[in-house]
Amino acid sequence: MESPCCPSCKRAVSTRPENPFFPFCSDRCRAVDLGRWLGGEYRIAQRTPDEDEDGEAPAPEEALH
Ligand SMILES: [Zn+2]
């Protein structure tokens, strides 16, 4: 029976009960993979500051109520 491989370093990993980091072999490999994934995701999802500030500004009159 083949053991699964760590997606990050391709080494054999043990499965869940004994390996809390499954499917990764270690916390480090999990962080590496997560960082890679988030890095790409953030670049796409990042909003431009302009877009936020050009949105509806709260009416000054309402704030004075
Ligand atoms: Zn690994």
Side-chain angles (χ1 to χ4, degrees), residues 25-58:
C25 68
S26 65
D27 190 27
R28 219 186 76 160
C29 278
R30 186 176 63 174
V32 166
D33 193 82
L34 193 70
R36 198 184 299 152
W37 190 84
L38 286 179
E41 197 69 5
Y42 273 136
R43 218 173 289 170
I44 295 164
Q46 205 170 35
R47 291 178 300 174
T48 56
D50 287 353
E51 235 171 331
D52 255 359
E53 302 196 5
D54 264 350
E56 275 178 69

Side-chain angles (χ1 to χ4, degrees), residues 5-13 23-30:
C5 290
C6 171
S8 203
C9 70
K10 312 294 181 204
R11 280 199 312 218
V13 291
F24 303 96
C25 68
S26 65
D27 190 27
R28 219 186 76 160
C29 278
R30 186 176 63 174

